[in-house]
Each structure stands twice: as C-alpha cells, then as structure tokens.
Coordinates of all heavy atoms in Angstrom, one line a residue:
C1 N 2.2 6.5 0.2 CA 3.1 5.3 0.2 C 2.4 4.1 0.8 O 2.5 3.0 0.3 CB 4.4 5.7 0.9 SG 5.5 6.8 0.1
I2 N 1.8 4.3 2.0 CA 1.1 3.2 2.7 C 0.0 2.6 1.8 O -0.2 1.4 1.8 CB 0.6 3.6 4.0 CG1 1.7 4.0 5.0 CG2 -0.3 2.6 4.7 CD1 1.3 4.7 6.3
A3 N -0.7 3.4 1.0 CA -1.7 3.0 0.1 C -1.2 2.5 -1.2 O -1.9 2.0 -2.0 CB -2.7 4.1 -0.1
E4 N 0.1 2.4 -1.4 CA 0.8 2.0 -2.6 C 0.3 2.8 -3.7 O 0.1 2.4 -4.9 CB 0.5 0.5 -2.9 CG 1.2 -0.4 -2.0 CD 2.8 -0.4 -2.1 OE1 3.3 -0.2 -3.2 OE2 3.5 -0.6 -1.1
L5 N 0.3 4.2 -3.5 CA 0.0 5.1 -4.6 C 1.2 6.0 -4.9 O 1.2 6.6 -5.9 CB -1.1 6.1 -4.1 CG -2.5 5.4 -3.9 CD1 -3.4 6.4 -3.2 CD2 -3.0 5.0 -5.2
N6 N 2.3 5.9 -4.1 CA 3.5 6.6 -4.3 C 4.7 5.6 -4.2 O 4.7 4.7 -3.5 CB 3.8 7.6 -3.2 CG 3.4 9.1 -3.6 OD1 2.5 9.3 -4.4 ND2 4.1 10.1 -3.1
L7 N 5.7 5.9 -5.1 CA 6.9 5.0 -5.1 C 7.8 5.3 -3.9 O 7.9 6.5 -3.5 CB 7.6 5.2 -6.4 CG 6.9 4.8 -7.7 CD1 7.8 5.1 -8.9 CD2 6.5 3.3 -7.7
Y8 N 8.4 4.3 -3.4 CA 9.4 4.6 -2.3 C 10.5 3.6 -2.5 O 11.1 3.0 -1.5 CB 8.7 4.4 -0.9 CG 7.9 3.2 -0.7 CD1 8.5 2.0 -0.2 CD2 6.6 3.1 -1.1 CE1 7.8 0.8 0.0 CE2 5.8 1.9 -0.9 CZ 6.4 0.8 -0.3 OH 5.7 -0.4 -0.2
E9 N 11.0 3.5 -3.8 CA 12.0 2.4 -4.1 C 13.3 2.8 -3.4 O 14.2 1.9 -3.5 CB 12.1 2.3 -5.6 CG 12.7 3.4 -6.3 CD 11.8 4.6 -6.6 OE1 10.7 4.6 -6.2 OE2 12.2 5.5 -7.3
K10 N 13.5 4.0 -2.9 CA 14.8 4.3 -2.3 C 15.0 3.6 -1.0 O 16.1 3.6 -0.5 CB 14.9 5.9 -2.1 CG 14.9 6.6 -3.4 CD 16.1 6.2 -4.3 CE 16.1 7.1 -5.6 NZ 17.2 6.7 -6.5
G11 N 14.0 3.0 -0.5 CA 14.2 2.3 0.8 C 12.9 2.1 1.6 O 12.1 3.0 1.6
G12 N 12.8 0.9 2.2 CA 11.6 0.7 3.1 C 10.8 -0.5 2.6 O 10.8 -1.0 1.6
N13 N 10.0 -0.9 3.6 CA 9.1 -2.0 3.4 C 7.8 -1.7 4.2 O 7.8 -1.2 5.3 CB 9.7 -3.3 3.9 CG 8.9 -4.5 3.5 OD1 8.2 -4.5 2.5 ND2 9.0 -5.6 4.2
I14 N 6.6 -2.1 3.6 CA 5.3 -1.9 4.3 C 4.6 -3.3 4.3 O 4.5 -4.0 3.3 CB 4.5 -0.9 3.6 CG1 5.2 0.5 3.5 CG2 3.1 -0.7 4.3 CD1 4.5 1.5 2.7
K15 N 4.2 -3.7 5.5 CA 3.5 -4.9 5.7 C 2.1 -4.8 6.2 O 1.9 -4.0 7.1 CB 4.3 -5.8 6.6 CG 5.7 -6.2 6.2 CD 6.4 -7.1 7.2 CE 7.8 -7.4 6.8 NZ 8.5 -8.2 7.9
L16 N 1.2 -5.6 5.7 CA -0.2 -5.7 6.3 C -0.4 -7.1 6.7 O -0.2 -8.1 6.0 CB -1.2 -5.3 5.2 CG -2.6 -5.4 5.6 CD1 -3.0 -4.4 6.6 CD2 -3.6 -5.2 4.3
Y17 N -0.7 -7.3 8.0 CA -0.8 -8.6 8.6 C 0.4 -9.5 8.4 O 0.4 -10.6 8.1 CB -2.0 -9.3 8.0 CG -3.3 -8.6 8.4 CD1 -4.1 -8.1 7.4 CD2 -3.7 -8.5 9.7 CE1 -5.3 -7.5 7.7 CE2 -4.9 -7.8 10.1 CZ -5.7 -7.3 9.0 OH -6.9 -6.7 9.4
G18 N 1.6 -8.8 8.4 CA 2.9 -9.5 8.3 C 3.3 -9.8 6.9 O 4.4 -10.4 6.7
K19 N 2.6 -9.4 6.0 CA 2.8 -9.8 4.6 C 3.2 -8.5 3.7 O 2.4 -7.5 3.8 CB 1.6 -10.4 4.0 CG 1.8 -10.9 2.5 CD 0.4 -11.6 2.1 CE 0.5 -12.0 0.6 NZ -0.8 -12.6 0.2
S20 N 4.4 -8.5 3.2 CA 4.8 -7.3 2.5 C 3.8 -6.9 1.3 O 3.2 -7.8 0.7 CB 6.2 -7.5 1.9 OG 6.6 -6.5 1.0
S21 N 3.8 -5.6 1.0 CA 2.9 -5.1 -0.1 C 3.4 -5.8 -1.4 O 2.5 -5.9 -2.3 CB 3.0 -3.6 -0.2 OG 4.4 -3.2 -0.4
K22 N 4.7 -6.2 -1.5 CA 5.1 -6.7 -2.7 C 4.5 -8.1 -2.9 O 4.6 -8.7 -4.0 CB 6.7 -6.8 -2.7 CG 7.4 -5.5 -2.6 CD 8.8 -5.6 -2.4 CE 9.5 -4.2 -2.4 NZ 9.2 -3.5 -1.1
E23 N 4.1 -8.7 -1.8 CA 3.4 -10.1 -1.9 C 1.9 -10.0 -2.2 O 1.3 -11.0 -2.4 CB 3.7 -10.8 -0.6 CG 5.2 -11.0 -0.3 CD 5.4 -11.6 1.0 OE1 5.1 -12.9 1.1 OE2 5.8 -10.9 1.9
W24 N 1.4 -8.9 -2.1 CA -0.1 -8.7 -2.2 C -0.4 -8.3 -3.7 O 0.4 -7.8 -4.4 CB -0.6 -7.5 -1.4 CG -0.8 -7.8 0.1 CD1 0.2 -8.0 1.0 CD2 -2.0 -8.0 0.7 NE1 -0.3 -8.2 2.3 CE2 -1.7 -8.3 2.1 CE3 -3.3 -8.0 0.3 CZ2 -2.7 -8.5 3.1 CZ3 -4.3 -8.2 1.3 CH2 -4.0 -8.5 2.6
D25 N -1.6 -8.7 -4.0 CA -2.3 -8.2 -5.2 C -2.7 -6.7 -5.0 O -3.4 -6.4 -4.1 CB -3.5 -9.0 -5.7 CG -4.1 -8.5 -6.9 OD1 -3.5 -8.5 -8.0 OD2 -5.3 -8.0 -6.9
I26 N -2.1 -5.7 -5.7 CA -2.2 -4.3 -5.3 C -3.7 -3.9 -5.3 O -4.1 -3.1 -4.4 CB -1.4 -3.4 -6.2 CG1 0.1 -3.7 -6.0 CG2 -1.7 -2.0 -6.0 CD1 0.5 -3.4 -4.5
P27 N -4.6 -4.3 -6.2 CA -6.0 -3.8 -6.0 C -6.6 -4.3 -4.7 O -7.3 -3.6 -4.0 CB -6.7 -4.6 -7.2 CG -5.6 -4.6 -8.2 CD -4.4 -4.9 -7.5
N28 N -6.2 -5.5 -4.2 CA -6.7 -6.0 -2.9 C -6.1 -5.1 -1.8 O -6.8 -4.9 -0.8 CB -6.3 -7.4 -2.7 CG -7.2 -8.4 -3.6 OD1 -8.1 -7.9 -4.2 ND2 -6.8 -9.6 -3.7
W29 N -4.8 -4.8 -1.9 CA -4.1 -4.0 -0.9 C -4.9 -2.7 -0.7 O -5.1 -2.2 0.4 CB -2.7 -3.7 -1.3 CG -1.9 -2.8 -0.4 CD1 -1.8 -1.5 -0.4 CD2 -1.0 -3.3 0.6 NE1 -0.9 -1.0 0.5 CE2 -0.5 -2.1 1.2 CE3 -0.6 -4.5 1.1 CZ2 0.5 -2.1 2.2 CZ3 0.4 -4.6 2.1 CH2 0.9 -3.4 2.7
R30 N -5.3 -2.1 -1.9 CA -5.9 -0.7 -1.9 C -7.3 -0.8 -1.4 O -7.9 0.3 -1.1 CB -5.8 -0.1 -3.3 CG -4.4 0.3 -3.6 CD -4.3 0.8 -5.0 NE -2.9 1.2 -5.4 CZ -2.4 1.2 -6.6 NH1 -3.3 1.0 -7.6 NH2 -1.2 1.6 -6.8
I31 N -7.9 -1.9 -1.4 CA -9.2 -2.1 -0.7 C -9.0 -2.2 0.8 O -9.8 -1.6 1.6 CB -9.9 -3.3 -1.3 CG1 -10.4 -3.0 -2.7 CG2 -11.2 -3.7 -0.4 CD1 -11.0 -4.2 -3.5
K32 N -8.0 -3.0 1.2 CA -7.8 -3.2 2.6 C -7.3 -1.9 3.3 O -7.6 -1.7 4.5 CB -6.7 -4.4 2.8 CG -7.3 -5.7 2.5 CD -8.3 -6.2 3.5 CE -8.7 -7.6 3.4 NZ -9.7 -8.0 4.4
I33 N -6.5 -1.1 2.5 CA -6.0 0.1 3.1 C -6.5 1.2 2.2 O -6.0 1.4 1.1 CB -4.4 0.1 3.1 CG1 -3.9 -1.1 3.9 CG2 -3.9 1.3 3.7 CD1 -2.4 -1.2 4.0
A34 N -7.5 1.9 2.6 CA -8.2 2.9 1.7 C -7.7 4.3 2.1 O -7.8 4.7 3.2 CB -9.7 2.7 1.9
Y35 N -7.3 4.9 1.1 CA -6.8 6.4 1.1 C -7.9 7.3 0.9 O -8.5 7.2 -0.2 CB -5.6 6.6 0.3 CG -5.2 8.1 0.1 CD1 -4.7 8.7 1.2 CD2 -5.2 8.7 -1.1 CE1 -4.3 10.0 1.2 CE2 -4.8 10.1 -1.1 CZ -4.4 10.7 0.0 OH -3.9 12.1 -0.1
V36 N -8.2 8.2 1.7 CA -9.3 9.2 1.5 C -8.6 10.6 1.4 O -8.2 11.2 2.5 CB -10.3 9.2 2.7 CG1 -11.4 10.2 2.3 CG2 -10.9 7.8 2.9
P37 N -8.5 11.2 0.2 CA -7.8 12.5 0.1 C -8.6 13.6 0.8 O -9.8 13.5 1.0 CB -7.7 12.6 -1.4 CG -8.9 11.9 -1.9 CD -9.0 10.7 -1.0
Q38 N -7.9 14.7 1.0 CA -8.5 15.9 1.6 C -9.6 16.4 0.7 O -10.7 16.8 1.2 CB -7.5 17.0 1.9 CG -8.0 18.3 2.5 CD -7.0 19.3 2.7 OE1 -5.8 19.1 2.4 NE2 -7.4 20.4 3.3
R39 N -9.3 16.5 -0.6 CA -10.3 17.0 -1.5 C -10.5 15.9 -2.6 O -9.5 15.7 -3.4 CB -9.9 18.3 -2.2 CG -9.8 19.4 -1.2 CD -9.4 20.7 -1.9 NE -9.4 21.8 -1.0 CZ -8.4 22.2 -0.1 NH1 -7.3 21.4 -0.2 NH2 -8.5 23.2 0.7

C-alpha cells in the first residue's frame, strides 16, 4: 500500500514530504519509495 502497489480505497491517505500519493506521479512515487519483495 505504501508503495502504491495495492488498493486501499476503503480508507486512508499516504503522504510523502507532506504531499498525498494522489498528488504524485506514481512512477516517481515508486522510485522515491522502493518496495523490495522477499522473493
């Protein structure tokens, strides 16, 4: 969810540097917040 890879439309907001993920260009968001899976 934090990496914007899962939907959480039922509620909530995530901000990076005070700016909501909805205001970001998602490819840039996923560069700034990088998810590294277990496998």
Side-chain angles (χ1 to χ4, degrees):
C1 287
I2 293 172
E4 288 294 328
L5 295 170
N6 261 32
L7 296 176
Y8 50 93
E9 72 276 7
K10 294 299 181 182
N13 190 26
I14 302 175
K15 297 179 181 178
L16 179 65
Y17 298 115
K19 184 178 174 183
S20 169
S21 61
K22 299 175 180 64
E23 302 174 71
W24 280 77
D25 181 63
I26 292 302
N28 289 346
W29 178 278
R30 290 176 181 158
I31 287 172
K32 288 291 186 182
I33 303 179
Y35 172 64
V36 185
Q38 180 180 0
R39 293 181 179 84

